[in-house]
Amino acid sequence: VALLRGQGYARDLRAAVRWLEKAAAQDNLFALDLLISSYADTTKIYFEEANEKLPRDLAKAFGYARRAAALGHAPSAFYLGRA
C-alpha cells in the first residue's frame, strides 16, 4: 500500500500490484479486497500524474472474490452475488 500511496517510496503501480498479489496468494483479505475492487473498477488504483491505471479484468476480480469468499469475507460473497 505504501507503493500505491507513495509513502516512504516512489509510487509504483506495477510493484504495488506484484506485492498485493503475493499477499493475496497468502490469503491476505486486505490484499484480496483491494485487488477485487481494483480489477472490477479501473478507477480504484489510479495515478493521475502518471496516467497509469490497473486494467479492468473481471475474470481476475471474480477469481479473487471467490477466494476471499471462501475465507469468509462477506463483502466478497456479496460481490459474487452481484456478478
Side-chain angles (χ1 to χ4, degrees):
V1 175
L3 289 167
L4 290 176
R5 296 182 179 154
Q7 294 174 326
Y9 301 92
R11 290 183 184 189
D12 187 340
L13 177 65
R14 288 176 190 85
V17 170
R18 278 194 307 271
W19 282 107
L20 286 169
E21 288 176 342
K22 286 180 182 188
Q26 295 179 23
D27 296 333
N28 180 293
L29 290 175
F30 177 78
L32 285 164
D33 187 54
L34 188 54
L35 288 167
I36 292 162
S37 59
S38 298
Y39 279 119
D41 177 7
T42 60
T43 61
K44 183 72 173 185
I45 295 179
Y46 182 74
F47 298 146
E48 195 170 293
E49 63 276 3
N51 197 25
E52 219 180 345
K53 59 184 173 182
L54 196 60
R56 186 172 194 175
D57 189 333
L58 295 178
K60 281 188 178 183
F62 186 75
Y64 285 127
R66 283 191 8 220
R67 184 182 202 149
L71 294 168
H73 189 246
S76 295
F78 176 76
Y79 172 78
L80 290 172
R82 293 186 321 169

